[in-house]
């Protein structure tokens, strides 16, 4: 039976870029990034090849959790500008044919939110049941504590109400009560508020944790998945072009649950794959990736993974085994001050010992494995981090536009967070240097766009005898070969990745799908170079190869 072809959706092969508004570009000289500052940098982002921006929270907030503690979902934090600035930004982004998504923390609010303030004062009032209140701080013992280094319980006592309230994260972030249908209505209405401004979608922060049930761990409960279906139906009905990406840091099989039958979220961050990329680097073995891939293929139509290497959080190690975690700690955590919660608060470049080959290899994996890539601001420059800063602030320092004191981020002497700097690590220094990481990243994005099969095509691992070599064939799916007369649309692309710290001879099987000779699209040698079996792939090198 042939199925009707469902057309591809824009996000399936888009290149995303994550921005923390407060540290991206200050236009007022006050040391804090502005929404207006992002608008000023759209030229740069477009030049780089970015399709869609993701803004981390910029709403009214006491900033206890860098804005993931929202005090008013309908207000822009005055530090970052005004609602008009936000509307201007959407218009400017759209004028360039780019897209914009924002972050929504729906599991919890800030304590400062008026719902919580009312709830604690008046248990019988309109908001009395908006949060998860109780008299027993030992209820739900199965629910893990996420911010283990700060919180010792998921319950805190509220003097005003004389009861405990439940919180998955910091005690300043009380969990909303999703058993209350009014909470559903509030959430849908605030979504409409933002979507009606023309947003292209949003990230669902901490979405596995909406419900709690006795005797269960409180993650990915059927009720939570059902709520997501309700959200999706609402989106499909009112905003059919928009999309939602879920932050669901769960074991692989559970992570896939968030796609449902294509009736839950459109995209899920690829938490199952991410630690495997680091493991492959640490062990010089391709197997961590080869083994997970079959679990990640064959998604429902319109569903896609969001691939990432780093983001504003720690490199999370919550979902790996203890043995894997120890291995990753010993490879990537040289100093305990870099630990945050169960993970590692470092940026990509330092994690890779600032080794260009390793950084490029990781980028090539993120851009070359099935999914849509998410670049974290500054990674394209190889920005460093600052482990003297608390918690995850280590990886949230200002974007480096220029060399010098304010890094072109601000003219203020007191930036929101210290500028890390480093010679050669700025847009100005790298933009015109053909050998820079920035220019490499830009070429990689261009190569990726020339080969949509990297994001949405078939994936086939090639068996090779060399354990440090990952060899993969990618081809466009039949239904995507729109230009039937174009022979290239069915041609295979072969991707080779070397995890060994030394060069490797390419075994013949690796190039069999290219009849023994490939031409480098992009990789560790000049584009256009011919590669034959027996030729060498450099230490931590990669090639994306087409047929001659
Ligand atoms: C998500 C965010 C993280 C935040 C947490 C609580 O995990 O990525 O930064 O602290 O949710 O909102």
């Amino acid at each position: 039976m042939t199925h009707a072809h469902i057309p591809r959706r824009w996000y399936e092969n888009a290149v995303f870029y994550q921005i923390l508004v407060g540290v991206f570009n200050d236009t007022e000289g006050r040391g804090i990034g502005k929404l207006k500052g992002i608008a000023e940098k759209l030229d740069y982002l477009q030049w780089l090849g970015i399709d869609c921006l993701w803004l981390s929270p910029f709403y009214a907030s006491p900033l206890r959790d860098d804005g993931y503690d929202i005090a008013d979902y309908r207000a822009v934090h005055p530090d970052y500008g005004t609602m008009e600035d936000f509307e201007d930004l959407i218009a400017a982004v759209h004028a360039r044919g780019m897209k914009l998504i924002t972050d929504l923390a729906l599991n919890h609010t800030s304590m400062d939110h008026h719902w919580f303030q009312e709830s604690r004062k008046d248990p019988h009032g309109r908001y009395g049941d908006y949060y998860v209140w109780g008299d027993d701080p030992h209820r739900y013992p199965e629910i893990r504590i996420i911010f283990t280094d700060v919180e010792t319980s998921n319950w805190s006592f509220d003097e005003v109400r004389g009861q405990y309230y439940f919180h998955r994260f910091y005690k300043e972030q009380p969990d909303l009560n999703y058993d209350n249908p009014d909470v559903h209505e509030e959430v849908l209405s605030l979504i409409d508020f933002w979507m009606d401004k023309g947003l292209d979608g949003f990230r669902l922060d901490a979405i596995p944790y909406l419900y709690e049930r006795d005797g269960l761990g409180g993650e990915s409960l059927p009720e939570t998945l059902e709520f997501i279906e309700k959200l999706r139906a609402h989106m499909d009905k009112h905003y059919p072009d928009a999309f939602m990406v879920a932050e669901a840091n769960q074991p692989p099989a559970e992570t896939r649950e968030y796609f449902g039958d294509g009736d839950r979220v459109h995209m899920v961050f690829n938490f199952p794959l991410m630690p495997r990329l680091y493991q492959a680097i640490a062990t010089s073995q391709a197997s961590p990736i080869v083994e997970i891939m079959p679990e990640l293929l064959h998604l429902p139509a319109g569903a896609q993974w969001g691939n990432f290497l780093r983001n504003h959080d720690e490199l999370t190690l919550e979902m790996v085994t203890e043995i894997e975690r120890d291995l990753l700690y010993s490879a990537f955590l040289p100093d305990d001050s870099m630990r945050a919660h169960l993970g590692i608060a470092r940026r990509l470049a330092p994690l890779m010992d600032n080794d260009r080959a390793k950084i490029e290899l990781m980028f090539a994996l993120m851009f070359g494995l099935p999914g849509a890539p998410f670049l974290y601001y500054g990674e394209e420059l190889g920005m460093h981090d600052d482990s003297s800063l608390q918690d995850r602030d280590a990886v949230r320092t200002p974007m480096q536009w220029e060399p010098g004191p304010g890094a072109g981020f601000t003219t203020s002497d007191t930036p929101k967070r210290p500028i890390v700097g480093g010679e050669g690590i700025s847009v100005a220094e790298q933009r015109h240097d053909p050998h820079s990481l920035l220019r490499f990243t830009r070429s990689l994005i261009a190569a990726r766009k020339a080969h949509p099969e990297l994001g949405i095509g078939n994936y086939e691992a090639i068996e090779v005898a060399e354990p440090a070599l990952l060899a993969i064939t990618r081809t466009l799916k039949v239904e995507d070969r729109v230009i039937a007369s174009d022979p290239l649309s069915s041609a295979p692309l072969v991707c080779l990745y070397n995890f060994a710290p030394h060069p490797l001879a390419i075994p013949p099987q690796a190039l069999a799908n290219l009849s023994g000779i490939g031409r480098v699209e992009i990789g560790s040698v000049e584009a256009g170079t011919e590669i034959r079996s027996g030729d060498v792939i450099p230490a931590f090198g990669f090639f994306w190869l087409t047929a001659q």
Side-chain angles (χ1 to χ4, degrees):
M1 196 177 95
T2 53
H3 292 272
H5 176 49
I6 299 173
R8 291 285 179 184
R9 307 277 312 272
W10 67 267
Y11 54 81
E12 290 185 63
N13 230 349
V15 176
F16 292 82
Y17 189 93
Q18 182 187 359
I19 292 178
L20 307 191
V21 180
V23 287
F24 198 62
N25 184 29
D26 172 19
T27 45
E28 283 174 17
R30 288 177 40 231
I32 301 172
K34 298 283 175 295
L35 288 165
K36 275 191 173 138
I38 300 171
E40 270 186 7
K41 296 298 183 184
L42 293 179
D43 260 347
Y44 166 73
L45 295 165
Q46 197 166 29
W47 170 84
L48 185 57
I50 302 305
D51 299 308
C52 182
L53 310 183
W54 151 26
L55 306 189
S56 281
F58 52 87
Y59 315 101
S61 162
L63 304 181
R64 171 65 183 88
D65 187 13
D66 210 8
Y68 285 90
D69 47 333
I70 301 173
D72 182 350
Y73 287 96
R74 291 179 169 79
V76 169
H77 195 298
D79 276 0
Y80 306 140
T82 63
M83 189 61 82
E84 204 187 335
D85 295 340
F86 180 78
E87 289 160 357
D88 290 348
L89 177 62
I90 295 201
V93 167
H94 285 167
R96 288 165 188 264
M98 294 162 78
K99 310 261 187 197
L100 183 75
I101 65 169
T102 61
D103 219 315
L104 272 180
L106 302 176
N107 173 68
H108 48 267
T109 68
S110 157
M111 282 183 95
D112 292 7
H113 199 291
H114 82 93
W115 298 339
F116 188 78
Q117 291 306 320
E118 298 295 322
S119 196
R120 74 202 304 197
K121 277 192 278 195
D122 186 1
H124 306 293
R126 174 166 172 205
Y127 300 102
D129 202 23
Y130 265 44
Y131 294 85
V132 183
W133 293 100
D135 297 316
D136 174 10
H138 304 294
R139 198 176 177 189
Y140 307 132
E142 298 81 3
I143 296 184
R144 70 188 165 114
I145 296 167
I146 295 175
F147 288 163
T148 43
D149 38 5
V150 182
E151 300 297 348
T152 50
S153 167
N154 285 327
W155 293 94
S156 288
F157 189 71
D158 182 52
E159 298 286 348
V160 179
R161 177 148 161 166
Q163 275 193 308
Y164 292 90
Y165 63 91
F166 183 82
H167 54 88
R168 298 282 170 143
F169 295 97
Y170 293 122
K171 59 172 72 63
E172 293 85 353
Q173 292 165 294
D175 271 38
L176 284 164
N177 173 21
Y178 276 81
D179 279 317
N180 181 349
D182 291 347
V183 168
H184 292 208
E185 288 314 305
E186 295 279 10
V187 163
L188 295 181
S189 131
L190 68 91
I191 281 176
D192 290 348
F193 175 83
W194 288 103
M195 290 307 302
D196 290 344
K197 295 192 179 293
L199 267 193
D200 298 293
F202 45 87
R203 168 184 182 269
L204 295 172
D205 178 75
I207 203 69
Y209 315 126
L210 302 185
Y211 284 82
E212 300 74 35
R213 288 290 177 262
D214 287 313
L216 298 174
E219 305 189 11
S220 314
L221 295 184
E223 292 85 346
T224 295
L225 297 170
E226 206 176 296
F227 177 74
I228 294 174
E229 285 168 18
K230 181 169 170 181
L231 207 57
R232 173 64 181 266
H234 180 86
M235 293 293 283
D236 283 351
K237 182 161 169 214
H238 300 285
Y239 314 101
D241 293 331
F243 98 117
M244 304 184 281
V245 53
E247 186 210 17
N249 185 3
Q250 301 294 310
E254 210 171 301
T255 307
R256 280 190 73 131
E257 288 283 300
Y258 288 81
F259 293 120
D261 297 323
D263 56 351
R264 291 177 185 161
V265 296
H266 310 73
M267 190 180 282
V268 184
F269 281 113
N270 206 338
F271 283 99
L273 176 67
M274 184 277 293
R276 302 279 179 147
L277 305 176
Y278 289 91
Q279 251 172 275
I281 294 269
T283 58
S284 286
Q285 304 272 329
S287 53
I289 299 170
V290 174
E291 282 161 16
I292 196 78
M293 281 312 300
E295 293 188 51
L296 307 180
L297 302 174
H298 311 298
L299 302 181
Q304 182 61 302
W305 291 109
N307 289 342
F308 68 105
L309 299 170
R310 292 295 299 109
N311 58 25
H312 64 295
D313 287 326
E314 71 280 16
L315 194 174
T316 168
L317 301 177
E318 284 168 40
M319 294 299 151
V320 301
T321 63
E322 247 171 74
I323 295 173
E324 289 163 346
R325 194 176 303 135
D326 285 345
L327 175 108
L328 290 163
Y329 281 153
S330 67
F332 300 113
L333 185 70
D335 177 338
D336 223 49
S337 69
M338 300 169 177
R339 185 193 300 260
H341 318 301
L342 267 193
I344 305 174
R346 304 182 72 192
R347 271 186 175 266
L348 179 71
L351 281 165
M352 296 296 114
D353 302 319
N354 299 305
D355 177 327
R356 251 308 267 283
K358 287 191 202 170
I359 298 170
E360 291 187 7
L361 176 59
M362 288 293 263
F363 275 171
L365 290 160
M366 171 169 79
F367 281 91
L369 290 169
F374 281 71
L375 201 56
Y376 182 50
Y377 81 97
E379 297 299 7
E380 72 276 27
L381 307 170
M383 256 173 67
H384 294 180
D385 47 45
D386 182 346
S387 57
S388 72
L389 300 179
Q390 283 304 305
D391 192 350
R392 295 153 291 166
D393 283 1
V395 300
R396 299 176 180 180
T397 63
M399 175 69 174
Q400 294 170 194
W401 299 101
E402 293 164 15
F409 159 70
T410 186
T411 51
S412 161
D413 297 334
T414 51
K416 181 178 162 88
R417 293 191 189 104
I419 284 153
V420 176
E423 204 192 324
I425 308 180
S426 71
V427 173
E429 288 159 285
Q430 294 193 21
R431 191 163 175 161
H432 300 293
D433 172 1
H435 304 295
S436 65
L437 181 62
L438 176 58
R439 290 283 290 269
F440 164 81
T441 310
R442 182 171 180 253
S443 307
L444 191 71
I445 292 176
R448 147 95 192 196
K449 288 189 170 173
H451 290 280
E453 64 271 34
L454 287 168
I456 58 175
N458 297 312
Y459 167 101
E460 190 201 331
I462 305 169
E463 262 189 62
V464 288
E466 175 49 68
L469 188 68
L470 176 63
I472 302 164
T473 308
R474 306 300 308 281
T475 43
L476 263 189
K477 294 195 160 78
V478 175
E479 62 267 30
D480 290 314
R481 293 179 197 163
V482 273
I483 318 166
S485 56
D486 178 0
L488 280 182
S489 76
S490 62
L493 184 76
V494 169
C495 304
L496 304 182
Y497 305 95
N498 177 12
F499 293 99
H502 49 74
L504 284 179
I506 298 171
Q509 316 88 290
L511 297 178
N513 286 338
L514 299 176
S515 313
I517 312 179
R519 200 182 58 84
V520 174
E521 276 285 288
I522 187 162
S524 316
V525 299
E526 211 178 309
T529 307
E530 274 184 14
I531 301 291
R532 293 179 162 71
S533 60
D535 283 353
V536 153
I537 180 166
F540 297 113
F542 83 97
F543 297 143
W544 290 352
L545 301 165
T546 54
Q548 269 301 76

